[in-house]
Each structure stands twice: as structure tokens, then as C-alpha cells.
Amino acid sequence: IEQHGIGGACVLADCVPSKTLIATSESMTAFDGSEALGIRPLGGGQAIDHLGVDAQVVNTRVKALAAAQSADIAARLASSGVNVVAGTGRFLGPGWIGVTRAGGDEMELPVDAVLIATGASPRTIEGSPPDGERILTWQQLYDLPALPEHLVVVGSGVTGAEFASAYLALGCEVTLVSSRDRVMPTEDADAALLIEDVFTRRGMHVEKRARAAAVRRTESGVVVDLQDGGAIEGSHCLVAVGSVMLWQTHQRGKA
């Protein structure tokens, strides 16, 4: 029983899309400084360092590849004899699962055992709900019509660092807000410090020991308020402060 699509968040909104975005950013990085290596356009065209990014093309490709992989997994499941039902499930009682199907009709399934694998959703900052326009989770980035002018990334774990690096390479101004004394605090210290050095040498603003208290919209962008009273302005904010596991069991008559 699946509500959004086979493969879940990993395929549709997390690992697969982010790696596709990174592949695009790596293409931009590969051309950075290439003229010094003797690589240049022929026929009087613009210099390679004048390359730009069409965000709508990038995001369309990201979502198309994710959807294709999801469809491929669904086809493999079907060929193996797995019955996939599009909808949401709930416990009716011992041995029975109720399903509200995608079209709205109801069905009941007899079961011997149930595996709950509903995955995780992005954690948000209390009082600062994502709006999908200026305040974003990593699931909403691929719906932006254009690249952010100045992306403030709150959270310097693997996810935050990954997106900060990608959007920096795509040409955005990026500020990475870390509540710890270094980026990627749960990873190997030497590797994390090396990555942080690369970020700063490429022009990223890294704010360390800065814990976000709230994110609010302004007339033209966002402001990230810090617990120490400081503030960081940007055009968009990506909240990457981890994930929460969401699953509920329902019995007939009570939750």
C-alpha cells in the first residue's frame, strides 16, 4: 500500500533527485577555470565562464528521472507478483487492514503480518512552517521556477551541506548556518574540516555556532532569526534540520 509512489521519499524527493541535481552542479564545476586549461568555445562564442543554469529545465529533468525510476521499481514489483495498491492504509482489527484507495473507494484486506515502512518527512522549525515558495524543505526545492539569488541553508548535516554545495556550484550565493563549531558535525572531523575549507574557498558563507530560532518571510525574501539575537537575510531558506519518522496505527473507533 503506497500513497505517493513506489520508492518513497528516497526515490521521489530525496536521494535520487538530489544526486541528479548534484550531477548538474558538477558539470558547472568541471567548466570552472577550464579556459586556463586551454578549453574554450570555438567560432567566437561566449566564454565558458558565462554559462548559466535554466532552473526549470534542471528541475523538470530531476523529477522526470525520479518518476522513471519509481515506475521501473513498480514494474519490477508487478512482474514479481506483488499487488501494489495506491492509497492509504489503516488497522481495522486483528487480521484486517482497511485501505482508502486513490480514487476514494474503500477496500479491506486480510493480513497475517504488517510491515510499517512509511519513511520520514523533513523536520521543520517550530513556528516557521515551509510555504514552498521562500521557506523550503528539501522536498520542495525542485518546484522553484528559478534559482535562488541567495539561498540560506539552515542545518549543516549531510543533507544541508549537500544542497549548499550544489546550489553554490550552480551560481547561487549561499549561506550555510551551522549550530555546531564545524559543518557535518557527525562525520569524520578531518574530512568535515576539509569540506568546510573547500566551501569557503569557493565563496560560501559559513556561519558556525549559530542556531536558528525562526525563519520569516519579508517583502522580497526571508530572514533567519538566530537565538543569539542575530539575523541572516536571503532570498530563500532551505530548512535541513533532519527528519522525523511518521507513522500511526489506527484501530476501529480510536487512534
Side-chain angles (χ1 to χ4, degrees), residues 77 87 100 111 146 169 200 203 225 240:
L77 287 174
T100 302
V111 297
T200 55
D225 294 315

Side-chain angles (χ1 to χ4, degrees), residues 150-198:
H150 181 183
L151 179 65
V152 181
V153 180
V154 176
S156 65
V158 172
T159 299
E162 186 175 62
F163 280 110
S165 175
Y167 278 92
L168 182 71
L170 292 175
C172 302
E173 181 180 358
V174 175
T175 297
L176 180 61
V177 180
S178 175
S179 62
R180 308 288 189 88
D181 58 358
R182 60 179 171 85
V183 304
M184 300 175 66
T186 62
E187 305 301 319
D188 178 82
D190 290 337
L193 290 173
L194 177 61
I195 290 172
E196 183 179 316
D197 180 62
V198 172

